[in-house]
Amino acid sequence: MSADVADRLRALARDHLEGRSSLESYRRLRAPLLDHLIAPADGGSFEATQPRASIPLAEVTQPRAVVARAAVEPSRPLLPGGSAVMLRRVVACGAVALLVIFAIVFFVRQHRARSLAAPRTATAGGGGMSAGGAKQAEPIRALLEPLLENPDWSDARLLALNEALLEAGRVRLEAARSTDWFNDFVDSVRSRLLQQQALAGTPLTPDSSPLAALAVTLGIDLTAPAQPARSSTPLPGGAHAQAVRSSAEGAKRAGPAKEATGAGSSSRVESRSSLAPTQVSRPAAAQVASPALRDTHYTEPVQAEEGGSQAADAAPASAPMTLQHATATASARHAYPACSAALSQARLNYCQDLLASGDPAPLLVVIPAGSFLMGNGGLAQEAPAHRVILAHDFAMSVYEVSQSEFQLYCRSAGKACPQQPWTRGDYPVVNVSWQDAQDYARWLSAATRERYRLPTEAEWEYAARAGTDGLYPSGDSLSPTDAYFSIGAPLNAPAPRSMRFNANAWHLMHMIGNAREWVQDAWSPGFSGAPVDGSARLQGEPGIKVVRGGCYADAAIKLRLTRREPLPADTRDRCTGIRLVREIP
């Protein structure tokens, strides 16, 4: 009888697992069968034991095969009491396990559904801004970036920018306020505002100055321009919009505000903490760079047409010489820190010296020490390629020396400047010999009390590469973004400084193309025996020097970073100019 019950239990379990019966039906039919498997403790007969449920065994539907086998098989003794209890417990544990599995599957599916339905957020630059906030700030960034890339701070451009920011709306401005790029721009506006305020003699208002109107839009308090923009509050929308709309007429009545930047210089974006008057201890011209400058950000150089007057000298004699006035005047005359090795690790590595006359010397960038593979093994004049180690930082002029910068030397030395093919002061000076370049470097050294000279050939190539190892800045081919050169029809003039492009990774402009440059080395047809410490080769073909970089009239094949050309030292032509190195002790 027990075998018959066991077969019925197996058949019920198989029917349930194969989907022919539900879990509820399986449990209902299984209960009486389990009761009949339990033998009485006193050895009584099976019939004496009553099932827990009121369902008689005859009502349990059995498969035909099981019934037939039960009819022919002899009856077997029931399982011992302990074994029956164990079997019952095993079956119960199996049911519990199934329930746990069903619960886990259900929980996982619900969790996955909630994850897919939840909105996804992302962070953006500016302190963990949400994706929505970053998207709202992007129109503001698109409006500000052109002014940073091409710093034209004219009244007309400031008015147009101001109107565009107002149209963008307060919500977008507030979204941008938590980003670094927005606050860097605000600092740049604040710095220029300080300079204009020092020169104006009277308080600036949105009616009289487009820069002041822009400052109000950005949230700068005009009554305390030195305070950080984050702690200030813009005017209410209606009053602010009205002030900006009337700024054009006010500017016409008051005349354009004078810029405090002179030729070839720009305002400096101070670190935010240094803008507070209580923390300014000395003029910017006297500040010496230190390791702390690694965290100080300066604006890209703003190059105006050279040859103009120094606006800082035009300040009214009656204007009060306040601390802000003195700082702004010094900043106008000397917009960048003194050259220091610490700047080689700064994001913006500009520095500048002052001449004895107070005029700015050529703008420089600090180049870090390092090593590189110099030359090109594929061409005899550029071979063999060899490892050069430059053990010391040095500074190099950002641009080729301009006509205006060279004219300062000519006037000071009392000599006639060479005739120039172009009349603007911000064009590179050309028609200069190797000796002219040497004389200019010696004069500049005396005027600044620093050591200026022509770069060695190794220093020139190291600076031109700026960490790259290809034949051209972009790799194995030349791009118009790499150089100003004759890509189709031949060009007949270089680019002036006002056309700011073709900077390399170290912020050096026009290292290839535009105007080729004298270097210190004597010419030798190859690098065999060349110094490996970055110094100049002083022995070579008599009277022949090296020029590097090619010029505006050259095609791409002549503008390799490794290309070197021999040129008689007394040559003066339209293609050759000057770029200097300033030594850093």
Side-chain angles (χ1 to χ4, degrees):
M1 184 63 182
S2 62
D4 180 43
V5 173
D7 286 339
R8 294 181 185 183
L9 283 171
R10 283 194 293 270
L12 282 175
R14 186 166 53 251
D15 288 346
H16 173 61
L17 290 176
E18 293 177 359
R20 289 189 293 273
S21 67
S22 65
L23 179 62
E24 181 181 354
S25 177
Y26 166 71
R27 289 176 176 174
R28 182 173 61 82
L29 296 175
R30 182 191 62 182
L33 293 174
L34 291 176
D35 286 336
H36 283 283
L37 283 176
I38 302 174
D42 56 359
S45 65
F46 171 77
E47 286 77 6
T49 304
Q50 297 300 320
R52 289 175 300 171
S54 60
I55 305 174
L57 288 177
E59 294 183 9
V60 179
T61 303
Q62 303 297 331
R64 293 180 181 180
V66 174
V67 173
R69 187 167 61 251
V72 299
E73 288 184 356
S75 62
R76 299 177 183 177
L78 292 173
L79 291 172
S83 298
V85 172
M86 183 175 295
L87 177 62
R88 186 173 180 178
R89 290 177 178 176
V90 169
V91 174
C93 289
V96 171
L98 286 174
L99 289 174
V100 171
I101 292 172
F102 290 152
I104 292 174
V105 171
F106 177 79
F107 175 79
V108 170
R109 288 181 176 177
Q110 291 296 318
H111 178 72
R112 182 177 298 177
R114 284 195 299 268
S115 299
L116 293 175
R120 298 183 179 182
T121 59
T123 58
M129 181 188 297
S130 67
K135 187 175 181 180
Q136 282 188 329
E138 278 306 310
I140 303 299
R141 187 171 190 170
L143 292 173
L144 301 185
E145 279 187 341
L147 187 61
L148 295 175
E149 294 171 358
N150 182 18
D152 172 13
W153 293 80
S154 63
D155 288 352
R157 189 167 188 186
L158 293 178
L159 287 169
L161 174 61
N162 217 355
E163 291 288 353
L165 289 175
L166 284 173
E167 290 179 4
R170 180 71 57 83
V171 173
R172 290 192 176 97
L173 276 172
E174 290 301 325
R177 214 172 285 280
S178 61
T179 62
D180 289 338
W181 51 264
F182 183 85
N183 285 286
D184 286 343
F185 184 81
V186 169
D187 286 345
S188 182
V189 172
R190 186 182 292 107
S191 179
R192 286 183 171 269
L193 194 64
L194 281 171
Q195 296 172 14
Q196 277 199 10
Q197 183 67 69
L199 295 175
T202 58
L204 296 177
T205 66
D207 290 335
S208 64
S209 168
L211 183 64
L214 176 62
V216 172
T217 301
L218 297 175
I220 299 174
D221 187 352
L222 296 183
T223 62
Q227 296 301 317
R230 297 186 188 187
S231 63
S232 58
T233 305
L235 292 175
H240 173 63
Q242 180 62 35
V244 172
R245 279 191 287 270
S246 63
S247 61
E249 296 180 2
K252 292 178 181 178
R253 291 194 302 270
K258 296 179 180 179
E259 290 289 343
T261 53
S265 66
S266 78
S267 65
R268 187 175 87 182
V269 174
E270 304 282 352
S271 62
R272 295 186 184 104
S273 61
S274 68
L275 287 172
T278 56
Q279 297 179 359
V280 178
S281 58
R282 51 182 169 168
Q287 292 180 3
V288 178
S290 67
L293 286 171
R294 297 167 189 248
D295 299 324
T296 302
H297 301 296
Y298 298 92
T299 57
E300 296 283 350
V302 180
Q303 295 296 336
E305 290 190 13
E306 300 190 16
S309 62
Q310 293 289 339
D313 293 334
S318 59
M321 183 54 69
T322 62
L323 182 58
Q324 289 185 6
H325 188 162
T327 303
T329 303
S331 178
R333 298 293 295 267
H334 187 236
Y336 300 93
C339 295
S340 163
L343 287 172
S344 67
Q345 305 301 319
R347 181 176 67 87
L348 292 179
N349 50 346
Y350 300 102
C351 66
Q352 194 171 45
D353 295 318
L354 288 176
L355 307 180
S357 62
D359 293 301
L363 184 64
L364 306 166
V365 292
V366 179
I367 308 297
S371 67
F372 75 110
L373 192 64
M374 182 177 182
N376 172 18
L379 293 171
Q381 287 191 164
E382 302 168 15
H386 57 291
R387 176 68 56 182
V388 174
I389 299 175
L390 293 95
H392 300 287
D393 300 332
F394 61 93
M396 180 175 279
S397 52
V398 173
Y399 301 89
E400 302 101 342
V401 173
S402 70
Q403 294 183 24
S404 291
E405 288 167 341
F406 199 79
Q407 285 168 2
L408 286 176
Y409 152 67
C410 293
R411 290 196 296 269
S412 177
K415 60 182 295 184
C417 276
Q419 187 68 34
Q420 296 298 299
W422 311 285
T423 57
R424 281 177 50 173
D426 63 342
Y427 275 97
V429 67
V430 293
N431 284 339
V432 287
S433 66
W434 184 84
Q435 191 58 53
D436 291 335
Q438 294 283 2
D439 293 342
Y440 174 70
R442 278 194 292 270
W443 169 81
L444 192 58
S445 298
T448 60
R449 298 186 178 181
E450 302 293 346
R451 168 72 170 148
Y452 284 83
R453 57 174 172 80
L454 289 176
T456 68
E457 197 171 358
E459 288 171 337
W460 188 96
E461 186 171 328
Y462 176 68
R465 286 187 174 281
T468 63
D469 55 8
L471 293 177
Y472 300 97
S474 296
D476 294 329
S477 61
L478 188 64
S479 165
T481 61
D482 296 330
Y484 189 66
F485 66 105
S486 295
I487 193 171
L491 298 176
N492 56 15
R497 289 191 186 181
S498 57
M499 298 171 62
R500 296 182 61 249
F501 49 80
N502 298 147
N504 71 7
W506 285 337
H507 305 121
L508 293 165
M509 310 288 277
H510 304 299
M511 285 299 288
I512 54 175
N514 215 51
R516 64 188 177 188
E517 299 151 13
W518 291 108
V519 296
Q520 190 72 29
D521 298 57
W523 171 258
S524 181
F527 285 134
S528 180
V532 295
D533 61 353
S535 59
R537 173 179 276 182
L538 303 179
Q539 302 299 321
E541 294 187 18
I544 306 296
K545 301 297 181 181
V546 181
V547 288
R548 297 293 297 257
C551 81
Y552 59 89
D554 290 333
I557 195 171
K558 293 186 176 182
L559 299 182
R560 296 185 305 276
L561 292 168
T562 56
R563 180 176 170 82
R564 49 200 300 269
E565 299 177 74
L567 199 66
D570 58 357
T571 299
R572 293 182 173 90
D573 61 29
R574 294 166 53 101
C575 222
T576 309
I578 306 169
R579 191 186 297 266
L580 295 181
V581 155
R582 192 267 214 195
E583 294 182 357
I584 296 179

